[in-house]
Amino acid sequence: MAKINPIDPDYFKDERPTERFNVIGTTVPRSDALGHVTGRTEFFEDRTFPNLAHLKIHRSPHHHALIDSVDTSEAERTPGVLRVLTYNDVPANWYGVLRLIGIGPDDEPVLAEDRVIYRGEPIVAVVADSEAAALEGASRVKVSYTELPAVLDVEEAMSPDAPVIKRAGTNYFVYEGHHARRIRFGDVEAGFAQADHVFDWRYSSAPIEHAPTETTGCIVVPQSNGRLLIHSNTQAAFFTLDNTALIINRAPTDLQVKGGTVGGGFGGKVDVMVEPLACIAATLTNRPVKFVYTREEEMQVSSPRAAERIYIKDGVMNDGRIVARKIMLYVDAGAYARHSPYGATKAAAHLPGPYTIPNVYADCHCVYTNRTPSSAMRGFGVTIADFAIESQMDRVARALNLDPLEFRLRNAYRDGDLKAHRKVASGTALIEVIQRAAELVGHELPEEYRAMSSTTPRGASR
């Protein structure tokens, strides 16, 4: 096969797509590569419209406070300001992005009503002829607050005497009536009593902002037939369309989302952050409306990866067999749920790691604090949990003076093993992956470990 020039325009004009089915082992250019490298890719901000209006937000300076009063009179008198929006202008102000897959409750307001529960929470939206006028109008909104104690630590939020920040009555997401997504397998306390060694360590991560080159934004254009055309950099076009339709109380067929080009997302643009207010503003003014985050807003209020705190306690025998593992995981959802309940569920699905352990106990908490709401980011819920588990494996191996790869091979799950979720493992191949990795780096394994196989039942000869 001739070598493909990744920016050869003739490649993209190929009218024989069946000839591209055999791509394994070859270099295949991205379908949008040519536009990117030639500067022809069109992002939502590249579009221009006559009479374009701009939307900006007045945000809370407090982590937790009651809203005593909101005065928008000066904002309304600002030259160039067209409309000032409060929660009264939002038809269905409370929402949750995961309601489309049956996860509730709807716990987040589009615009704050009687209180704010994180710094930067939107309270008033100002629509103006220019970006400068919208910013000026937003700065003239006057809000009176009564500050409340802020809860900024996940374990503090879970304590019985912590201030309750959620209207649902708990500082944690409720999973089928439980305080956490749980795993119960075997008798973990009996396993610890049996173990020759018990190790207990803590792992933690900080919130991580995606820092995309292109900040979150959209332009909404009213159409002659009454529909709204939404040019957005969303990563989830149908989440955006359906959630926006619910929030503004319009039929989904009244909206059209044009996206697909994202100037960096990494999970941070799956939440419905800007489109509903822009749609409302475009409807009320009958003008195209642009709502795009400043860099400061992107860093302050767009959903970061959740901070996580993980405690792992292992009971291990002298020969390296893990006989008990207990995990307490705290996912900092921040002020609102967004995708975090799903992230904690994914974490639980990955515990206790790819190892066969007869006694497992895990509580995976999705905790609310007065921090910026967290959400999706590249394997969220799984990445940090796996980091903690594998760090634990290395530390235990060192403490017992065991080879880290041999320690993993001794505990690696095999086809037919019953996992802690009571599912039978199949297609595991972990043993073969470790063996091949050891071979590639010149790490000599004893014959006992080289002879292991994922398809041979535990305890049986090969």
Side-chain angles (χ1 to χ4, degrees):
M1 180 183 291
K3 184 176 180 180
I4 297 172
N5 179 348
I7 60 171
D8 180 359
D10 290 336
Y11 172 80
F12 297 92
K13 297 176 182 177
D14 195 322
E15 296 180 357
R16 295 165 297 172
T18 55
E19 293 188 6
R20 302 188 207 158
F21 287 168
N22 185 15
V23 298
I24 295 175
T26 67
T27 298
V28 179
R30 287 173 53 109
S31 60
D32 56 1
L34 184 63
H36 290 348
V37 299
T38 59
R40 295 175 182 171
T41 298
E42 188 178 57
F43 297 88
F44 88 91
E45 283 199 278
D46 292 323
R47 297 175 172 89
T48 58
F49 301 93
N51 294 320
L52 179 66
H54 297 260
L55 186 150
K56 293 296 178 181
I57 297 291
H58 181 90
R59 300 183 180 276
S60 165
H62 303 295
H63 290 286
H64 193 197
L66 296 175
I67 297 175
D68 299 323
S69 65
V70 177
D71 182 357
T72 62
S73 57
E74 286 194 29
E76 292 164 356
R77 290 194 294 267
T78 302
V81 167
L82 303 170
R83 291 292 297 248
V84 175
L85 309 179
T86 69
Y87 71 88
N88 290 311
D89 297 295
V90 184
N93 194 45
W94 289 85
Y95 76 107
V97 293
L98 291 181
R99 60 183 167 181
L100 300 178
I101 56 174
I103 297 177
D106 296 342
D107 75 327
E108 182 169 2
V110 176
L111 292 174
E113 296 185 1
D114 65 331
R115 67 191 61 218
V116 291
I117 60 174
Y118 72 96
R119 183 178 178 180
E121 183 158 4
I123 303 172
V124 174
V126 176
V127 189
D129 282 326
S130 67
E131 185 176 19
L135 287 168
E136 180 64 23
S139 72
R140 294 186 180 185
V141 174
K142 295 179 179 176
V143 183
S144 297
Y145 302 92
T146 297
E147 286 193 64
L148 299 173
V151 182
L152 302 175
D153 181 85
V154 286
E155 289 183 82
E156 177 189 341
M158 293 291 291
S159 66
D161 57 348
V164 176
I165 65 173
K166 300 291 287 184
R167 68 174 185 168
T170 64
N171 287 343
Y172 53 85
F173 184 82
V174 177
Y175 293 94
E176 291 85 43
H178 299 293
H179 64 285
R181 182 65 79 191
R182 309 182 308 161
I183 302 172
R184 303 290 187 266
F185 186 69
D187 186 335
V188 75
E189 295 305 325
F192 288 132
Q194 168 196 358
D196 296 315
H197 309 274
V198 176
F199 303 96
D200 194 350
W201 286 302
R202 165 182 153 165
Y203 305 88
S204 60
S205 66
I208 303 172
E209 161 58 28
H210 308 78
T213 302
E214 178 194 41
T215 61
T216 301
C218 70
I219 299 174
V220 177
V221 186
Q223 304 296 289
S224 58
N225 59 3
R227 299 179 75 199
L228 297 173
L229 175 57
I230 305 169
H231 296 279
S232 173
N233 58 14
T234 177
Q235 288 178 256
F238 290 100
F239 256 43
T240 295
L241 188 151
D242 290 338
N243 270 302
T244 299
L246 289 170
I247 290 168
I248 68 173
N249 197 24
R250 296 277 295 268
T253 51
D254 285 350
L255 310 180
Q256 180 184 2
V257 175
K258 273 195 170 183
T261 304
V262 182
F266 323 112
K269 291 175 180 172
V270 299
D271 296 330
V272 185
M273 306 284 285
V274 293
E275 293 85 2
L277 283 175
C279 284
I280 294 168
T283 301
L284 292 175
T285 62
N286 197 31
R287 291 173 59 166
V289 173
K290 179 178 181 179
F291 181 13
V292 58
Y293 282 176
T294 64
R295 179 58 59 186
E296 181 180 1
E297 286 178 304
E298 187 73 34
M299 298 298 291
Q300 175 65 41
V301 301
S302 70
S303 306
R305 182 193 292 277
E308 297 182 30
R309 186 175 301 163
I310 308 173
Y311 295 90
I312 306 179
K313 181 179 180 180
D314 280 347
V316 189
M317 306 304 291
N318 284 327
D319 63 2
R321 286 179 298 117
I322 306 174
V323 294
R325 172 166 283 176
K326 183 175 183 178
I327 299 176
M328 302 297 287
L329 166 65
Y330 301 91
V331 175
D332 190 345
Y336 297 111
R338 296 191 185 170
H339 283 78
S340 293
Y342 176 49
T345 294
K346 290 202 300 175
H350 271 242
L351 302 178
Y355 306 106
T356 296
I357 302 172
N359 304 290
V360 177
Y361 181 110
D363 278 352
C364 300
H365 306 85
C366 176
V367 186
Y368 299 118
T369 64
N370 294 117
R371 294 185 179 273
T372 300
S374 60
S375 195
M377 183 182 188
R378 293 298 189 206
F380 65 108
V382 174
T383 309
I384 306 303
D386 286 352
F387 155 77
I389 288 169
E390 295 309 318
S391 297
Q392 179 85 355
M393 296 295 287
D394 284 340
R395 294 177 77 176
V396 172
R398 286 196 296 269
L400 297 178
N401 198 28
L402 298 174
D403 179 286
L405 294 187
E406 294 175 20
F407 179 50
R408 286 174 168 83
L409 285 165
R410 183 168 292 277
N411 293 283
Y413 63 174
R414 305 182 185 201
D415 291 0
D417 284 353
L418 186 63
K419 298 192 287 185
H421 310 89
R422 292 177 172 79
K423 301 292 185 182
V424 176
S426 62
T428 55
L430 176 61
I431 288 174
E432 289 74 17
V433 168
I434 295 175
Q435 291 167 337
R436 179 58 175 153
E439 179 184 338
L440 288 171
V441 299
H443 186 100
E444 187 66 29
L445 292 173
E447 174 57 29
E448 172 191 357
Y449 295 95
R450 295 200 304 272
M452 287 181 173
S453 167
S454 294
T455 58
T456 302
R458 194 172 298 277
S461 57
R462 189 173 183 179

